[in-house]
Amino acid sequence: MTGLASICAEEVETALGNAGIATETLLMDGLGADAIDDFDTIVIISSTYGHGDIPDNGQAFYEALSAVDSLAGKSFTVFALGDRTYMDTFCHAGEKWDALFADKGATRIAPLERHDASAGTLAEDEAGEWAAGWAGALRIAA
């Protein structure tokens, strides 16, 4: 909702591009479950809003994916944005995305990564480094 997830997505896209992996970034606004049909690997980058909620622009997409029977055959990973100041809900939206894909049978390619806004590091830097860390393995598996 602040645009930080989009900035992080740009860094992830750069890291994957540097590893020779073609990417396409989609904003969650207005997406249905069919938005991921043409993709084998999905990287979700999500902030947490309110009381551990998925941001407004991702809620319909989350609900659409929740309604599908299976995401088997898809690979995924999640970069969660949060602030430990809100310990009770820290990165809950990212955890929800991670659980959804796992529960629907998708294969996790890297563990859920949580960025703490209170840590003094830039989320976009962390996102790029995180993606660079698993991008090589993804390319080899492709």
Side-chain angles (χ1 to χ4, degrees):
M1 293 180 59
T2 64
L4 183 56
S6 293
I7 294 167
C8 290
E10 291 172 10
E11 294 299 321
V12 169
E13 187 173 30
T14 297
L16 296 178
N18 289 342
I21 300 167
T23 63
E24 183 176 341
T25 300
L26 303 174
L27 297 177
M28 293 182 191
D29 305 81
L31 295 182
D34 61 342
I36 64 170
D37 286 352
D38 294 335
F39 301 100
D40 296 326
T41 303
I42 298 22
V43 178
I44 297 288
I45 301 171
S46 180
S47 59
T48 297
Y49 176 72
H51 299 286
D53 301 320
I54 291 169
D56 292 346
N57 70 321
Q59 289 179 8
F61 184 46
Y62 182 88
E63 293 302 321
L65 290 176
S66 295
V68 302
D69 291 331
S70 174
L71 293 173
K74 302 290 185 190
S75 297
F76 78 99
T77 190
V78 178
F79 187 83
L81 299 162
D83 187 331
R84 284 198 192 276
T85 303
Y86 305 98
M87 195 62 186
D88 291 343
T89 59
F90 177 63
C91 289
H92 277 207
E95 292 169 356
K96 289 175 183 179
W97 283 109
D98 185 75
L100 173 65
F101 275 84
D103 292 347
K104 295 290 182 175
T107 302
R108 186 179 288 109
I109 57 171
L112 169 67
E113 182 73 11
R114 295 171 181 86
H115 180 266
D116 177 11
S118 298
T121 59
L122 294 175
E124 56 269 31
D125 291 346
E126 297 288 327
E129 291 172 15
W130 167 75
W134 51 260
L138 181 62
R139 188 172 45 88
I140 291 167

